[in-house]
């Protein structure tokens, strides 16, 4: 057994075992690695290994080897050599991880990826960039700046953390409240699984024809695969950003201000909170100009067009005055903005003045419970006699209690860990997630069972075992076998739908008969309905309750049979909506299961909106993943797999969706009967605009067509002017109507799809948005519907050129639902996790071959 280093924590319950190779076997392995990458890139000297024994937690564990790669393709070679020797493989970027995720807890080989630091492409036309995993977040932002673009995820460690690490941890940051966490900005990339084979990640755009394994890998902490290249979504910089610093003489007033802003239907781009101890510490260190006598401060930003940002700033200032802010300072110059942000960004460094060691915690609760959670943290600190600095991404309920302690004082260390446990337990009691953006790592493994029951713990471990059966990729991180969890496990009462479905599936298991799922008749839009005389038919349409609308938290929980129309009407009465909820006649469960696209929302679709899902899998297990929080994942993001899985992983029984305030205005413009070439020029210009419209749909018939454009929100007038200006350059006029035109368009579009399906002429596919013009020139058939933001294409008359490369329909029963050959085997392993007895719809066969699993 290797001797633990100073700083290593005892974890007797985990029974961690390393490879413990004999010296001669380890030397032989080193020589094979030297032959693969060169002697100067394989470290085995004890002194050098110490540099890779720790991360930002301060805990230390010695690796057996460190291997550096200079080119992405070398990852596969090194993984194959290490895998053949049974050596654990720990991918590492900058080592800024705050949960022990890059520590070689069981020894093994650290695979150093920081030299893979090239920005390979900035694709302005398609608002995407291709980067290597070792690129530092702040360096990436500097590369994007000349193009007037930015990458929304910006963790506090952005000046030192790498993009590969950001993706592996699903990092957040101050701008998550408006723009989402890292997973909302990953389009694809290249990865290596434990077999060492390179695999291009399936796109996350709405025309994907596979499971969302990209979403599964994001946040998996290097336990499922190693990232070699990333395709990231980048955004135009907003024309105006307004920055405010509000001070309060009471912490509760500060948190009430957060609630007041959200209740007012304002979604700031940043809403950060620091408590009194943090303010005092930051001011001594950074001299940022924070009021030293304040009990709390809020750092707030709103962005958009100059007019909209100005209006929102004034509304926020008025709300702050109403709730009792003692001062509100507006940054009017770049220098002032930088000074205010310097205080927030330096909070962790400043904490070193209080103590040489800080235990950084990371928990998320539903936004309305943030005040209660902060009070609980303060009470815990007083109870254990500890100083706790609180920093919060207040807009999304994510807070970081930073506990100061002396590692040389055993009693203080024990009190620190006891306080840490109580903070996490309080978070779970409030329905929160035990991590918001720092990951589980090794630090929170013992707490996973507070959040998940036995079935969820089993599913996550089975996914790990399916892709990494020898547990070589970053072992003892993120997930554990269910039997290794020694704490009491969470129990969640299944919904009424889940209980009924579980009974039906258990009966089917006894008789070894397949299950047939019947939703609304709208399913006929995409496939023939299942046979009415199927042995174990399950109907979902009668589960049609809206379980809860949580206005303060901006979430809604529904049963799968609720129609989109009913949900739209209920939410609209409260001034809320699910962004661009499409297809009003269809059920919410069906829309999520099919990952239905909609032209009126330019994001990535349902994967942006589902924060929690319950379903029953082919084993009869009721599983619930996610939380009713904006940062909702600990462990694996299994919910991403369910979205767009067409029922092949289970039957959805309950969903919690992210809401947003219904825009103050929404208008739909139409440019009719125009040459297709002119319409492509307009869509290209709108996609690159700093104030792009909310959605676009291009309907082509032959050489001409109609462009529909949706503008909305506080910036609708600026967006409308941009549409009109681009149209005028082509000598075209825009006719504007209210959102009823959008609903009429949905009906026209669906009717075209129904007709095409009946005639056998429906095709769909997709590509880079800027390439739509090329696809049209090569022949898209007689009638096509193009989605200029996502690059999706639907052909409703005629046969597109090169049709062999198209997906005829995204439906499990159709052999034309093509799968990426590189992912067939890994995906089939995932299907077996959820449905080993093949009760549920089968995945499509590759190119019409047998689809047996």
């Amino acid at each position: 057994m290797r001797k633990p280093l100073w700083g290593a924590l005892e974890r007797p319950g985990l029974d961690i075992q390393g490879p413990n190779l004999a010296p001669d076997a380890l030397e032989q392995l080193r020589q094979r690695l030297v032959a693969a990458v060169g002697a100067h890139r394989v470290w085995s000297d004890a002194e050098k290994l110490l540099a890779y024994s720790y991360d930002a937690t301060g805990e230390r564990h010695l690796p057996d080897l460190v291997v550096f790669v200079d080119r992405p393709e070398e990852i596969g070679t090194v993984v194959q050599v290490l895998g053949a020797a049974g050596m654990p493989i720990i991918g590492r970027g900058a080592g800024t991880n705050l949960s022990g995720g890059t520590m070689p807890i069981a020894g093994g080989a650290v695979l150093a990826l920081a030299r893979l630091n090239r920005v390979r492409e900035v694709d302005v036309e398609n608002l995407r960039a291709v980067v290597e995993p070792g690129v530092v977040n702040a360096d990436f932002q500097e590369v994007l700046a000349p193009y007037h673009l930015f990458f929304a995820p910006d963790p506090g460690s952005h000046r030192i953390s790498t993009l590969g690490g950001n993706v592996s941890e699903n990092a957040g940051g101050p701008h998550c409240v408006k723009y989402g966490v890292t997973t909302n900005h990953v389009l694809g990339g290249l990865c290596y699984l434990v077999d060492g084979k390179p695999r291009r990640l399936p796109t996350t755009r709405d025309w994907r024809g596979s499971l969302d394994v990209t979403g599964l890998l994001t946040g998996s902490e290097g336990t499922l695969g190693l990232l070699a290249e990333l395709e990231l979504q980048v955004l135009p910089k907003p024309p105006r950003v307004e920055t405010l610093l509000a001070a309060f003489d009471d912490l509760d007033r500060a948190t009430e201000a957060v609630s007041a802003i959200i209740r007012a239907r304002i979604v700031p781009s940043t809403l950060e909170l620091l408590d009194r101890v943090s303010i005092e510490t930051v001011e001594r260190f950074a001299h940022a100009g924070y009021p030293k006598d304040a009990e709390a401060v809020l750092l707030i930003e709103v962005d958009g067009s100059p007019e909209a940002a100005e209006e929102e700033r004034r509304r926020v200032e008025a709300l702050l005055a109403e709730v009792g802010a003692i001062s509100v300072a507006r940054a009017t110059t770049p220098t002032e903005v930088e000074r205010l942000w310097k205080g927030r960004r330096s909070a962790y460094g400043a904490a070193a003045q209080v103590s040489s060691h800080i235990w950084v915690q990371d928990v998320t609760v539903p936004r309305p419970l943030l005040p209660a959670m902060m009070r609980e943290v303060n009470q815990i600190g007083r109870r254990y006699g500890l100083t706790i600095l609180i920093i919060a991404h207040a807009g999304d309920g994510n807070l970081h209690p930073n506990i100061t302690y002396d590692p040389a004082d055993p009693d203080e260390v024990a009190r620190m860990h006891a306080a840490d446990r109580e903070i996490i337990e309080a978070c779970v009691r409030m329905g929160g997630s035990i991590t918001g953006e720092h990951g589980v790592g090794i630090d929170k493994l013992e707490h996973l069972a507070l959040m998940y029951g036995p079935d969820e713990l089993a599913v996550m471990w089975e996914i790990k075992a399916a892709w990494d059966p020898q547990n070589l990729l970053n072992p003892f991180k993120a997930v554990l076998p269910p039997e290794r969890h020694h704490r009491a496990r969470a129990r969640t009462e299944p919904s009424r739908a889940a209980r009924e479905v579980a009974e039906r599936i258990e009966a089917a298991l006894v008789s070894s008969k397949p299950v047939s799922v019947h939703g609304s008749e709208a399913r006929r839009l995409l496939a023939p309905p299942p046979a009415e005389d199927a042995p174990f038919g399950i109907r979902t349409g009668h589960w049609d309750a809206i379980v809860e609308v949580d206005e303060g938290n901006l979430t809604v929980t529904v049963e799968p049979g609720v129609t989109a129309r009913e949900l739209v009407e209920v939410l609209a009465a409260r001034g809320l909506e699910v962004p661009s909820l499409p297809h009003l006649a269809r059920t919410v469960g069906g829309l999520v299961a099919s990952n239905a696209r909609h032209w009126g929302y330019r994001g990535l679709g349902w994967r942006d909106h589902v924060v929690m899902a319950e379903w029953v899998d082919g084993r009869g297990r009721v599983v619930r993943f996610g939380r009713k929080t904006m940062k909702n994942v600990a462990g694996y993001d299994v919910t991403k797999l369910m979205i767009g899985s067409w029922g092949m992983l289970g039957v959805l029984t309950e969903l919690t969706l992210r809401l947003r305030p219904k825009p103050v205005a929404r208008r739909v413009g139409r440019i009719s009967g125009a040459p297709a070439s002119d319409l492509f020029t307009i869509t290209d210009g709108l996609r690159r605009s700093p104030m792009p419209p909310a959605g676009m749909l291009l309907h082509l018939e032959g050489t001409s067509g109609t462009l529909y454009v949706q503008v909305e929100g506080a910036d609708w007038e600026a967006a409308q002017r941009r549409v009109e200006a681009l149209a005028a350059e082509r000598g075209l006029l825009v006719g504007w109507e209210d959102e009823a035109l959008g609903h009429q368009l949905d009906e026209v579009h669906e009717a075209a799809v129904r007709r095409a399906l009946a005639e056998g002429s429906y095709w769909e596919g997709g590509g880079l948005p800027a390439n739509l013009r090329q696809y049209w020139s090569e022949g898209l058939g007689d009638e096509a519907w193009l989605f200029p933001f996502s690059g999706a294409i639907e052909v409703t008359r005629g046969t597109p050129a090169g049709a062999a490369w198209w997906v005829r329909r995204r439906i499990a029963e159709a052999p034309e639902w093509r799968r990426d050959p590189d992912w067939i085997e890994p995906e089939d392993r995932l299907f077996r996790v959820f449905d080993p007895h093949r009760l549920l719809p089968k995945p499509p066969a590759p190119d019409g071959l047998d689809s047996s699993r």
Side-chain angles (χ1 to χ4, degrees):
M1 295 292 290
R2 67 174 48 82
K3 184 178 179 180
L5 297 174
W6 181 90
L9 298 177
E10 293 185 7
R11 294 185 177 87
L14 291 182
D15 186 29
I16 294 170
Q17 298 291 328
N20 295 312
L21 292 183
D24 57 341
L26 185 60
E27 174 59 21
Q28 291 174 12
L29 174 59
R30 189 191 69 83
Q31 291 177 4
R32 287 195 292 272
L33 291 167
V34 166
V37 299
H40 64 292
R41 291 198 275 142
V42 181
W43 288 3
S44 58
D45 296 342
E47 295 82 1
K48 292 182 177 179
L49 296 180
L50 280 173
Y52 288 83
S53 66
Y54 59 90
D55 57 16
T57 62
E59 188 176 351
R60 299 193 300 168
H61 298 268
L62 200 67
D64 293 286
L65 297 165
V66 177
V67 186
F68 299 86
V69 293
D70 288 345
R71 300 188 307 277
E73 57 270 22
E74 292 176 340
I75 294 175
T77 302
V78 172
V79 166
Q80 289 176 343
V81 172
L82 293 172
M87 176 67 75
I89 306 163
I90 303 94
R92 176 187 167 109
T96 62
N97 180 268
L98 285 162
S99 61
T102 55
M103 289 187 303
I105 189 77
V110 169
L111 185 56
L113 304 172
R115 295 181 181 180
L116 302 180
N117 58 3
R118 289 168 284 271
V119 177
R120 292 181 171 269
E121 180 183 10
V122 176
D123 183 352
V124 178
E125 293 294 317
N126 294 294
L127 295 178
R128 58 187 278 276
V130 179
V131 303
E132 292 178 350
V135 174
V136 172
N137 186 296
D139 294 343
F140 182 45
Q141 305 288 6
E142 290 182 6
V143 171
L144 295 175
Y147 301 99
H148 303 288
L149 301 172
F150 76 107
F151 182 58
D154 58 341
S157 60
H158 73 297
R159 293 195 181 279
I160 52 176
S161 64
T162 62
L163 294 172
N166 294 167
V167 173
S168 293
E169 299 296 331
N170 193 19
H175 288 92
C176 291
V177 59
K178 181 173 183 177
Y179 293 104
V181 291
T182 300
T183 192
N184 304 114
H185 302 273
V186 179
L187 298 173
L190 180 71
C191 80
Y192 289 84
L193 301 187
V194 76
D195 60 9
K197 296 178 181 178
R199 289 179 170 85
R200 181 64 53 183
L201 289 171
T203 181
T204 56
R205 298 184 190 270
D206 60 10
W207 43 267
R208 67 176 171 87
S210 61
L211 296 179
D212 189 358
V213 297
T214 303
L216 177 67
L217 281 162
T218 301
S220 65
E221 305 185 35
T223 63
L224 295 176
L226 294 162
L227 300 169
E229 183 181 285
L230 300 167
E231 182 186 358
L232 304 175
Q233 180 84 66
V234 296
L235 301 172
K237 282 188 175 181
R240 174 76 65 84
V241 178
E242 292 281 353
T243 305
L244 301 173
L245 184 74
F248 299 84
D249 59 7
D250 181 81
L251 180 61
D252 284 350
R253 283 199 184 94
T255 54
E256 169 56 26
V258 173
S259 299
I261 291 169
I262 300 301
R263 283 198 304 269
R265 312 293 189 240
I266 299 171
V267 181
S269 55
T270 297
L271 194 49
E272 298 288 287
L273 184 150
L274 284 77
D275 72 349
R276 179 182 57 79
V277 178
S278 298
I279 295 167
E280 294 173 350
T281 305
V282 163
E283 276 305 296
R284 286 196 301 269
F285 179 79
H287 309 294
Y290 292 3
K292 294 181 181 179
D293 57 345
E295 289 295 317
V297 295
L298 287 176
L299 180 61
I300 307 166
E301 286 189 341
V302 293
D303 62 20
S305 68
E307 301 88 347
E310 174 75 8
E311 175 62 23
E312 288 206 336
R313 176 186 64 80
R314 290 175 177 171
R315 291 180 62 200
V316 169
E317 287 176 332
L319 289 167
L320 294 171
E322 288 178 15
V323 299
I326 58 176
S327 68
V328 179
R330 177 192 177 198
T332 59
T333 67
T335 300
E336 291 177 353
V337 172
E338 177 60 27
R339 180 169 55 82
L340 293 181
W341 272 108
K342 180 181 178 183
R344 171 60 185 89
R345 297 288 192 188
S346 65
Y348 291 129
Q353 296 180 112
V354 179
S355 172
S356 62
H357 285 72
I358 304 289
W359 191 266
V360 181
Q361 192 45 267
D362 166 47
V363 292
T364 304
V365 294
R367 187 188 292 109
L369 298 179
L370 181 63
M373 185 65 204
M374 295 185 75
R375 286 194 294 270
E376 183 77 15
V377 170
N378 283 327
Q379 291 171 5
I380 291 170
R382 287 192 292 270
R383 190 157 59 245
Y384 285 98
L386 297 167
T387 298
I388 302 181
L389 297 77
I390 300 178
I391 301 167
H393 304 304
D396 48 35
N398 181 205
L399 67 157
H400 303 309
N402 302 313
I403 309 172
T404 65
Y405 73 103
D406 179 359
D409 183 342
D411 175 67
E412 192 161 287
V413 171
R415 284 186 283 120
M416 179 271 289
H417 284 299
D420 181 62
R421 283 194 298 273
E422 287 200 21
I423 289 170
I424 292 175
E425 289 167 353
C427 158
V428 174
R429 283 198 307 273
M430 295 182 188
S433 170
I434 65 172
T435 178
E437 55 188 354
H438 294 172
V440 172
I442 186 69
D443 173 39
K444 296 184 181 179
L445 275 179
E446 63 176 310
H447 303 307
L448 272 177
L450 292 173
M451 189 170 163
Y452 297 116
D455 288 337
E456 289 88 1
L457 295 171
V459 165
M460 287 193 291
W461 178 254
E462 288 163 9
I463 289 172
K464 165 72 168 172
W467 280 11
D468 181 18
Q470 293 182 268
N471 193 21
L472 296 180
L473 295 178
N474 208 9
F476 306 103
K477 312 289 174 57
V479 297
L480 274 179
E483 66 273 11
R484 303 284 289 275
H485 289 279
H486 300 292
R487 303 195 67 171
R489 300 176 190 178
R491 294 283 181 181
T492 303
E493 185 67 22
S495 67
R496 62 168 186 160
R499 291 193 294 271
E500 185 175 335
V501 171
E503 290 177 2
R504 299 295 291 166
I505 289 183
E506 287 167 5
L509 283 167
V510 171
S511 61
S512 300
K513 299 292 184 181
V515 170
S516 171
V517 181
H518 305 258
S520 69
E521 290 304 306
R523 179 183 168 96
R524 296 176 187 271
L525 172 67
L526 291 164
E532 293 290 338
D533 59 353
F536 290 96
I538 297 174
R539 291 194 169 275
T540 62
H542 63 289
W543 302 317
D544 57 0
I546 297 176
V547 179
E548 178 193 47
V549 179
D550 189 339
E551 296 185 42
N553 195 46
L554 292 181
T555 55
V556 61
T557 300
V558 301
E559 292 182 332
V562 172
T563 65
R565 185 182 305 279
E566 180 183 0
L567 185 56
V568 165
E569 292 172 353
V570 169
L571 294 177
R574 294 169 166 82
L576 300 170
E577 68 176 14
V578 177
S580 299
L581 190 69
H583 313 294
L584 295 180
R586 295 173 63 188
T587 63
V588 175
L591 293 172
V592 172
S594 62
N595 193 32
R597 71 173 61 93
H598 188 251
W599 70 275
Y601 179 65
R602 64 175 178 262
L604 296 178
W606 285 104
R607 70 193 308 276
D608 285 341
H609 308 323
V610 179
V611 298
M612 183 162 63
E614 175 195 73
W615 67 90
V616 183
D617 71 6
R619 301 173 187 253
R621 297 181 294 197
V622 180
V623 295
R624 185 188 295 261
F625 286 98
R627 276 298 184 271
K628 204 178 74 170
T629 57
M630 299 304 101
K631 296 174 181 175
N632 61 322
V633 177
Y636 295 157
D637 194 351
V638 184
T639 301
K640 290 288 193 300
L641 291 177
M642 170 54 75
I643 299 168
S645 67
W646 290 94
M648 292 181 289
L649 303 181
V651 182
L652 276 170
T653 51
E654 192 172 273
L655 291 159
T656 298
L657 308 174
R658 188 191 317 269
L659 302 177
R660 69 171 179 180
K662 188 173 174 60
V664 294
R666 176 175 287 141
R667 302 193 73 192
V668 180
R670 174 166 47 190
I671 305 173
S672 303
S677 58
D678 288 344
L679 297 179
F680 280 118
T681 299
I682 295 171
T683 60
D684 290 344
L686 290 175
R687 193 173 53 250
R688 298 192 303 267
S689 170
M691 297 306 306
M696 293 189 285
L697 179 61
L698 183 53
H699 181 207
L700 297 181
E701 294 182 281
T703 59
S704 64
T706 301
L707 173 64
Y708 298 89
V709 182
Q710 183 164 292
V711 298
E712 63 186 31
D715 294 310
W716 72 272
E717 291 177 299
Q720 179 174 316
R721 288 195 298 269
R722 177 65 172 160
V723 175
E724 292 171 343
L726 288 171
E729 291 176 3
R730 316 303 298 179
L732 301 172
L733 297 175
V734 187
W736 295 96
E737 299 183 35
D738 63 23
E739 62 183 307
L741 175 59
H743 297 318
Q744 295 169 13
L745 176 58
D746 287 340
E747 294 175 0
V748 172
H749 172 227
E750 288 201 8
V753 173
R754 289 178 186 275
R755 183 192 68 236
L757 286 168
E759 296 172 354
S761 60
Y762 179 75
W763 299 79
E764 70 168 316
L768 293 178
N771 290 346
L772 291 179
R773 184 194 299 262
Q774 175 188 338
Y775 301 148
W776 167 75
S777 67
E778 293 175 353
L780 288 179
D782 301 320
E783 180 183 51
W785 302 77
L786 287 72
F787 297 73
F789 277 121
S790 71
I793 307 169
E794 297 178 358
V795 177
T796 50
R797 277 205 311 271
T799 301
W805 299 101
W806 288 61
V807 178
R808 185 182 286 267
R809 56 179 78 156
R810 293 176 301 158
I811 177 66
E813 292 87 343
E816 294 88 351
W817 191 78
R818 299 187 185 278
R819 300 167 66 195
D820 186 331
D822 288 339
W823 287 99
I824 289 173
E825 181 187 13
E827 280 190 349
D828 283 348
R829 293 182 186 180
L830 294 178
F831 288 127
R832 285 194 290 270
V833 167
F834 293 93
D835 185 26
H837 306 291
R838 301 179 64 188
L839 296 182
L840 303 170
K842 293 189 296 182
D847 298 320
L849 301 177
D850 176 60
S851 64
S852 61
R853 296 181 229 166

